[in-house]
Amino acid sequence: MKKIYALVAFGIIIPLVFAAFSPPAPATEKYIVIAWNDLGMHCANQSFANMCILPPYNNQSAQVVKVGTSTQVPVVVNPTTSSIHVNYSIPGNTYSGSSTILTKTDFWKYVNQLFGVNLLPNIGLTGAGLSGSMGAQAIDYYQVQGIPVTPLRDNNLKVPDPYQLTLIKAFNSSNQLLASTQSVIPVSNEINCVSSGCHSSEMDILRRHDKMPGFDINKRPIFCAKCHADNALGMPGKEDVPSFSEVIHLKHAERTNDCYKCHPGPITKCFRDVMHAKGLTCQKCHGSVLQVGKSVEEGRRPWLDEPKCGSANCHGSKYAEQPGKLYRESKGHGGLFCSACHGSPHAILPTENVRDNVQNIALQGFAGTLKKCEVCHGYVPTGAGPHGYHPKSIEILPVSNIKPEMDEILANYPNPATNMTTIPYHIAVSGNVKLELFNIAGAKTITLVNQVLQPGEYTIDLNVSSFLPGTYVCILQTARSKTFRKIIISK
């Protein structure tokens, strides 16, 4: 079933979508902020008592855009000269641990033995915490590296949540909120060496190194990258020892071609994007587990030399990265990063995880690539956009081919709603359709749909998790009728 997802989050939706919750900038200067993670997933050990593959280390990037008009082009803000500053936080995840607080991870207990540094509680290897300021990077984006986030939220220390949302806010020099957004900060400790059934324990893995020169199993915890080079961590390893990627892929190719045996994972499902939905596999781009290992053995630099979108057997030159750069490093239309519009690698929009789609739903009203030109331009340009794209009305598809007898809005479910609620509605005759939500005082909260729709049965998902409790009215208006339904929001 195809659905249209809409997100409303009190105090976090950008002005273009929900201006009532963000004080507007001066009329001549409107802004949006777009944020993303550099990868579709970051991994980390949960326990570091025996070994460390990856520490808690996550990144967030953002670009602030001054929205254009019919006479002015939009401008990507230069953070090195602008007075605009950007902050980040992770609502619901305010601590990760310390040398004595071990409920989420024991990383801080062993960090000195592993990395030779002493860290303050909840502070990662770069000095970043779980909230703070994003620094200026080059001339066109903000970034924070090394956020020590774990997949465990404050209110649930047992069930991992690998797709938490950051809250990114842009302020002017007077500390006035200009724009805000939410972006997934993906993190998983589903590193499956033991849980997948391959190894009986971490000690079993370490014992397999007993005959390696210089290896001492008693000097735990052991940081794998001290011997096995890891470009993702900037660790050169030892000259006579194969890199971590090479040895892992070559060794495990003898037993499996299932990437989820190591990468997160049957529960996390880190490969979740539109390509996965269309039937592509990890092997389609990267090759088999054996081929990945062989390519490193033959000189490929893992993490630095990766599959290209613009290769002849993929999307071709029309969708190529910048010369000499990977997708995650490349910029395109108007200086926006490819990831700003399309999402992170392995999480190319729209993804199968609703949270990945939150930002673009808030920006343009629907999931998928950011392609509603007026989001940045302030109006619909007549010329061609990136990749030869021409602006056009957004196609909202019905969930069935049944032609209803009348225009109507049906009862939402669940009702009362506390988080997500689904609103079904029917359109009998082609025409312009408005679907709007009002609070009990009659003030419009958000416009969910406002465009021409074809006859059919439709649904829209509305996130009400940050709404104030109370009674709301959802109104469906067409040229022929106006119908409404009450929606109760409880906490």
Side-chain angles (χ1 to χ4, degrees):
M1 175 180 289
K2 295 182 179 178
K3 289 187 176 181
I4 311 155
Y5 292 93
L7 172 96
V8 180
F10 183 81
I12 59 174
I13 301 303
I14 61 167
L16 288 177
V17 177
F18 202 174
F21 286 168
S22 294
T28 55
E29 294 185 357
K30 295 182 180 179
Y31 294 85
I32 63 168
V33 58
I34 308 171
W36 65 94
N37 195 75
D38 57 339
L39 288 177
M41 180 51 61
H42 279 246
C43 311
N45 294 66
Q46 182 173 18
S47 173
F48 294 83
N50 293 314
M51 58 190 289
C52 172
I53 298 175
L54 292 167
Y57 195 106
N58 212 305
N59 307 322
Q60 286 276 286
S61 301
Q63 289 185 297
V64 178
V65 178
K66 181 181 177 182
V67 178
T69 67
S70 59
T71 58
Q72 292 181 324
V73 297
V75 176
V76 175
V77 169
N78 181 344
T80 65
T81 59
S82 173
S83 59
I84 292 174
H85 58 280
V86 177
N87 293 347
Y88 72 94
S89 62
I90 310 170
N93 199 333
T94 60
Y95 76 94
S96 289
S98 68
S99 60
T100 57
I101 300 174
L102 312 177
T103 51
K104 291 187 176 182
T105 177
D106 57 10
F107 174 71
W108 280 264
K109 181 178 179 179
Y110 298 104
V111 66
N112 185 266
Q113 293 167 258
L114 288 165
F115 293 92
V117 296
N118 291 309
L119 298 177
L120 292 173
N122 310 312
I123 299 299
L125 291 168
T126 63
L130 295 175
S131 62
S133 298
M134 301 180 74
Q137 296 291 326
I139 61 170
D140 50 11
Y141 74 108
Y142 300 79
Q143 188 179 67
V144 56
Q145 293 187 346
I147 303 171
V149 62
T150 72
L152 295 173
R153 297 172 64 86
D154 296 353
N155 63 356
N156 193 334
L157 300 178
K158 293 183 178 181
V159 181
D161 185 352
Y163 299 110
Q164 298 165 52
L165 289 168
T166 58
L167 175 56
I168 312 294
K169 294 182 177 182
F171 299 88
N172 63 15
S173 58
S174 301
N175 230 27
Q176 178 188 22
L177 180 64
L178 299 177
S180 63
T181 191
Q182 287 185 291
S183 171
V184 165
I185 184 165
V187 57
S188 174
N189 52 33
E190 194 184 4
I191 301 175
N192 287 335
C193 307
V194 176
S195 60
S196 64
C198 297
H199 297 276
S200 59
S201 67
E202 289 182 346
M203 291 301 294
D204 172 59
I205 299 171
L206 296 179
R207 289 190 189 100
R208 294 171 185 244
H209 293 72
D210 275 345
K211 296 182 180 180
M212 301 296 177
F215 182 83
D216 186 350
I217 198 171
N218 296 311
K219 293 183 178 180
R220 300 191 305 275
I222 293 168
F223 185 19
C224 303
K226 283 187 176 179
C227 293
H228 299 285
D230 192 332
N231 291 327
L233 295 171
M235 296 290 290
K238 292 185 177 179
E239 187 175 351
D240 57 343
V241 176
S243 73
F244 189 77
S245 179
E246 178 184 339
V247 71
I248 286 292
H249 286 96
L250 288 180
K251 184 67 176 178
H252 290 75
E254 301 170 1
R255 296 181 177 273
T256 185
N257 196 38
D258 182 358
C259 300
Y260 277 168
K261 284 289 186 180
C262 296
H263 297 274
I267 298 173
T268 303
K269 297 180 180 178
C270 61
F271 180 38
R272 60 197 185 276
D273 65 13
V274 65
M275 291 184 282
H276 180 267
K278 292 183 179 296
L280 272 69
T281 63
C282 308
Q283 292 81 2
K284 178 68 176 179
C285 293
H286 294 276
S288 68
V289 173
L290 178 61
Q291 288 171 325
V292 171
K294 284 287 187 183
S295 68
V296 179
E297 187 179 48
E298 293 167 0
R300 183 180 70 83
R301 301 171 302 165
W303 180 259
L304 304 178
D305 302 321
E306 298 295 344
K308 297 282 190 178
C309 306
S311 63
N313 60 347
C314 196
H315 293 289
S317 59
K318 189 176 181 180
Y319 300 92
E321 299 85 346
Q322 288 182 284
K325 293 183 180 292
L326 295 172
Y327 168 86
R328 65 175 183 266
E329 304 165 329
S330 294
K331 303 169 190 172
H333 185 64
L336 290 174
F337 276 80
C338 298
S339 295
C341 294
H342 293 279
S344 306
H346 310 127
I348 302 299
L349 302 170
T351 86
E352 297 163 336
N353 187 294
V354 65
R355 291 184 189 169
D356 290 311
N357 302 312
V358 161
Q359 177 169 252
N360 280 9
I361 290 173
L363 285 168
Q364 63 185 3
F366 60 95
T369 302
L370 183 59
K371 60 182 180 180
K372 196 171 183 179
C373 301
E374 54 265 46
V375 170
C376 291
H377 286 268
Y379 75 108
V380 181
T382 56
H387 312 303
Y389 170 75
H390 283 270
K392 62 181 180 180
S393 61
I394 304 306
E395 185 179 19
I396 298 177
L397 299 174
V399 299
S400 80
N401 295 321
I402 298 174
K403 184 175 180 180
E405 295 181 357
M406 59 186 296
D407 302 332
E408 60 179 336
I409 182 171
L410 283 68
N412 65 296
Y413 54 90
N415 193 23
T418 58
N419 185 21
M420 298 291 296
T421 188
T422 299
I423 306 169
Y425 60 101
H426 294 172
I427 302 300
V429 180
S430 175
N432 194 74
V433 173
K434 275 189 179 181
L435 186 65
E436 299 174 312
L437 191 71
F438 295 81
N439 64 23
I440 196 63
K444 184 168 68 174
T445 302
I446 189 171
T447 299
L448 301 171
V449 179
N450 184 15
Q451 67 180 77
V452 174
L453 296 183
Q454 299 302 314
E457 296 181 340
Y458 295 80
T459 64
I460 190 164
D461 282 359
L462 179 64
N463 188 318
V464 298
S465 59
S466 296
F467 268 37
L468 294 175
T471 301
Y472 293 75
V473 179
C474 193
I475 298 178
L476 176 71
Q477 183 174 348
T478 69
R480 296 159 299 282
S481 65
K482 179 186 287 189
T483 60
F484 70 91
R485 287 278 178 174
K486 289 184 179 180
I487 293 178
I488 308 298
I489 297 174
S490 63
K491 302 297 180 183

